[in-house]
Amino acid sequence: MAERSDRTPARWRRPFLRWLDGVEAGWAVPLLIGCFVAIWTLYLAIAYAGGGLHPDTLEAWTLGRHFAWGYHKHPPLTGWIAAGWTSVFPLSDWSLQLMAMANAGLALIFVDQIARQFVTGHKRILVLLLLMLTPIYQFHAQRFNANSVLLAAWPLATWCFLRAFETRAPLWAVAVGCTTALAMVGKYYSIFLVTSFALAALAHPARRAYFTSASPWISVVVGLAALSPHIHWLATTGASTFTYALAHANGSTATSLGEARNFLLGLAAAMSMSAVLWVLVAGTRLKQFPADFGAMSPGLRLLFYVAIGTILLPILTSLVMGTDLPSLWALQGLFLFTVLVVCGTSYPIERFYTVNLTVIVAGVALAAVLVAAPIHAVYRNDRGYEEGRNLYAQTAGELTRAWRELTGVPLSAVSGDGSLAFAAAFYGQDHPYNAGPFEYEDTLGLPRKTSLDRGWAALCFRDQEPCIRWMEWASSRTGHFVRREFTAQATLWGRPGLAREVVVLMVRPRGMRTIPKSAADDFSASRRATD
């Protein structure tokens, strides 16, 4: 049937076949990825219409507000990207949602660069379609953080490594050094990719030619040079990012075995839908897999060694050091296996199957936008989120209003619950700077002296007991303060939703000892305001 359909396609298939004809012409892949980014950005805009941005995305933007070679929790790449993006695009939900999906689209472009090293035509499209049927490039990507930023960094570095190993050209060697350094300043987990490069080169039959050339040594020197500013930052600031990373290394052998099992199961689950569809495409030709594996090209064999390293090295590290090992840390590397499976086949794949997969991908995306997104938005408006993100904008607006009435000046610093502080900085009219979210500090301290001098505010949800205890402790040490409570209620398309109590602590700028009359009247009218 597949062959017959390719010879005499149905009328509705012909536009898809013309599109597949454009793969080698250079326009079909960009069109596919562009449509993917557009429709899933629309999904995020609808699904989170009343939900606000994820705290990880807000944190990335907050960190990027001041340039640094490192930040307290993660390496700096997410902050740099968020800062660069918002210097061009407006500060809004849709803008950062587009940023997250543009990162996913860029990842797919780099994956295609790898695939075209081994196949041509619609097999390149098959690789992308199978990846689009995973939750990685939509739902994982939308939470823009140190994990999802690697979606683009890993295939970019892998592509450069393949080219450098094959050509041993100095420019590609330089590119490997730069891109591996880029991956490392995304997240230190990328050390597993870099180590896999080295082990794959050692295991490959062409290792002698590679290591006796200048290519690997150029890559090492360039990579260390590119990383040197961050290394200097680590050496001069106490390496807080290492401290945060090592906090995950406190398990036993039994827990590590459980982590490794769940790690593999999670990765398998992420690829399950694509795997089932690939089995349907390959059919009885799957029996050729052993022969195809044995006849694998040198480039694919190198890629195979890299893929195995990115799975085995984290597991071995977890077993030795007792580290946590959630599968979401490795999702950015699953493209390696998709490329291997599709590009390693010796037999042609009928375009009939590629068209069918395209229709499935488009159908899933349309169903997500038209059905799932509105349902999700309504559900979350009523049920809310644990972090309270559908109350972020309302809380930030109320905080700004209360602070302006109290002081008459813009709010410059905010603290308290980390997520609420990020939200107040992003959604608040004054865009105050984060004064140090207390949950990332060893002790629950007060904001820095500059924030104390200029005045600051803190936010907690009433049901966050650790945050409330910190606020009571901070109140006893700040002198003149105002504490207030209010109810924030979510709304979606004019429909009221979940409500939560918010507690606000406001400390006036140093030297401001009196409350403006309008503010005093307002606070005396509120039974829950205390001075």
Side-chain angles (χ1 to χ4, degrees), residues 256-281:
S256 295
L257 287 171
E259 289 283 340
R261 179 200 61 206
N262 294 335
F263 175 76
L264 293 174
L265 290 175
L267 297 181
M271 295 298 296
S272 59
M273 184 176 181
S274 296
V276 169
L277 289 172
W278 175 252
V279 168
L280 295 176
V281 169

Side-chain angles (χ1 to χ4, degrees), residues 310-374:
T310 60
I311 300 299
L312 290 183
L313 289 174
I315 292 176
L316 292 175
T317 302
S318 177
L319 293 175
V320 171
M321 299 182 61
T323 60
D324 299 337
L325 194 60
S327 58
L328 63 85
W329 288 357
L331 293 179
Q332 70 279 351
L334 292 182
F335 75 92
L336 293 162
F337 296 93
T338 306
V339 172
L340 285 167
V341 168
V342 176
C343 299
T345 56
S346 60
Y347 47 85
I349 303 294
E350 294 82 3
R351 299 203 296 177
F352 169 84
Y353 294 111
T354 306
V355 172
N356 287 353
L357 280 182
T358 303
V359 172
I360 292 172
V361 168
V364 169
L366 290 174
V369 170
L370 299 176
V371 180

Side-chain angles (χ1 to χ4, degrees), residues 8-19:
T8 56
R11 181 173 298 178
W12 70 268
R13 289 179 175 270
R14 292 171 188 171
F16 293 99
L17 295 175
R18 285 195 292 272
W19 164 63

Side-chain angles (χ1 to χ4, degrees), residues 309-494:
T310 60
I311 300 299
L312 290 183
L313 289 174
I315 292 176
L316 292 175
T317 302
S318 177
L319 293 175
V320 171
M321 299 182 61
T323 60
D324 299 337
L325 194 60
S327 58
L328 63 85
W329 288 357
L331 293 179
Q332 70 279 351
L334 292 182
F335 75 92
L336 293 162
F337 296 93
T338 306
V339 172
L340 285 167
V341 168
V342 176
C343 299
T345 56
S346 60
Y347 47 85
I349 303 294
E350 294 82 3
R351 299 203 296 177
F352 169 84
Y353 294 111
T354 306
V355 172
N356 287 353
L357 280 182
T358 303
V359 172
I360 292 172
V361 168
V364 169
L366 290 174
V369 170
L370 299 176
V371 180
I375 291 174
H376 179 272
V378 172
Y379 175 83
R380 286 301 186 181
N381 188 58
D382 294 335
R383 300 296 182 89
Y385 301 82
E386 181 181 356
E387 66 270 17
R389 58 191 282 192
N390 51 346
L391 303 171
Y392 283 170
Q394 299 91 319
T395 300
E398 178 63 21
L399 172 64
T400 300
R401 186 193 67 78
W403 178 265
R404 290 291 187 92
E405 289 180 348
L406 177 67
T407 66
V409 298
L411 176 62
S412 63
V414 64
S415 186
D417 171 67
S419 298
L420 282 176
F422 295 143
F426 183 85
Y427 292 105
Q429 181 182 351
D430 298 331
H431 299 302
Y433 280 87
N434 193 290
F438 70 85
E439 67 264 39
Y440 300 143
E441 299 178 357
D442 293 335
T443 59
L444 308 186
L446 293 172
R448 293 177 290 273
K449 184 178 184 302
T450 54
S451 299
L452 291 173
D453 292 341
R454 297 177 181 176
W456 59 282
L459 292 162
C460 301
F461 284 115
R462 163 55 70 186
D463 54 8
Q464 294 176 318
E465 293 185 5
C467 186
I468 295 296
R469 287 197 301 269
W470 170 83
M471 185 175 283
E472 292 171 351
W473 174 86
S475 301
S476 66
R477 285 160 174 78
T478 55
H480 241 51
F481 70 90
V482 169
R483 174 170 162 160
R484 187 184 178 192
E485 298 182 23
F486 63 88
T487 300
Q489 186 169 37
T491 58
L492 176 68
W493 305 316

Side-chain angles (χ1 to χ4, degrees), residues 61-75:
W61 173 80
T62 300
L63 295 177
R65 296 182 72 185
H66 73 278
F67 178 83
W69 291 109
Y71 300 107
H72 66 281
K73 184 178 175 184
H74 286 302

Side-chain angles (χ1 to χ4, degrees), residues 33-323:
I33 296 175
C35 290
F36 175 83
V37 170
I39 198 165
W40 283 103
T41 301
L42 179 60
Y43 166 83
L44 295 178
I46 297 173
Y48 298 95
L53 294 170
H54 192 277
D56 288 356
T57 306
L58 296 175
E59 180 182 25
W61 173 80
T62 300
L63 295 177
R65 296 182 72 185
H66 73 278
F67 178 83
W69 291 109
Y71 300 107
H72 66 281
K73 184 178 175 184
H74 286 302
L77 184 57
T78 53
W80 293 349
I81 292 175
W85 184 272
T86 53
S87 68
V88 177
F89 292 89
L91 206 61
S92 63
D93 285 4
W94 72 261
S95 172
L96 270 72
Q97 288 163 345
L98 177 61
M99 177 187 73
M101 292 312 304
N103 177 59
L106 195 61
L108 293 171
I109 289 174
F110 294 141
V111 170
D112 180 64
Q113 291 298 319
I114 296 172
R116 70 189 301 180
Q117 300 292 115
F118 310 109
V119 294
T120 58
H122 68 103
K123 271 193 175 182
R124 289 169 51 190
I125 297 290
L126 270 176
V127 172
L128 299 179
L129 293 174
L130 289 172
L131 289 174
M132 289 177 181
L133 287 169
T134 70
I136 300 170
Y137 296 88
Q138 314 90 346
F139 306 111
H140 177 62
Q142 66 94 13
R143 184 184 297 187
F144 188 77
N145 57 20
N147 294 311
S148 61
V149 78
L150 300 183
L151 287 174
W154 273 37
L156 173 60
T158 303
W159 174 46
C160 293
F161 171 67
L162 291 175
R163 298 294 293 140
F165 189 90
E166 178 186 359
T167 66
R168 297 185 288 281
L171 284 179
W172 282 113
V174 170
V176 171
C178 292
T179 54
T180 52
L182 189 71
M184 287 297 295
V185 296
K187 189 174 181 179
Y188 298 145
Y189 188 89
S190 296
I191 191 63
F192 296 124
L193 179 69
V194 178
T195 306
S196 295
F197 287 166
L199 294 178
L202 286 169
H204 197 274
R207 57 185 172 272
R208 182 178 181 83
Y210 179 65
F211 283 106
T212 56
S213 72
S215 180
W217 316 114
I218 291 173
S219 298
V220 170
V221 171
V222 171
L224 290 175
L227 276 176
S228 59
H230 181 65
I231 294 172
H232 179 265
W233 178 87
L234 288 171
T236 56
T237 60
S240 60
T241 49
F242 275 11
T243 303
Y244 179 80
L246 291 174
H248 293 278
N250 54 9
S252 63
T253 302
T255 58
S256 295
L257 287 171
E259 289 283 340
R261 179 200 61 206
N262 294 335
F263 175 76
L264 293 174
L265 290 175
L267 297 181
M271 295 298 296
S272 59
M273 184 176 181
S274 296
V276 169
L277 289 172
W278 175 252
V279 168
L280 295 176
V281 169
T284 59
R285 293 174 292 191
L286 282 175
K287 63 185 179 183
Q288 299 183 37
F289 176 78
D292 287 345
F293 182 82
M296 191 180 291
S297 69
L300 282 176
R301 190 161 297 278
L302 183 67
L303 200 66
F304 171 74
Y305 294 144
V306 173
I308 294 302
T310 60
I311 300 299
L312 290 183
L313 289 174
I315 292 176
L316 292 175
T317 302
S318 177
L319 293 175
V320 171
M321 299 182 61
T323 60

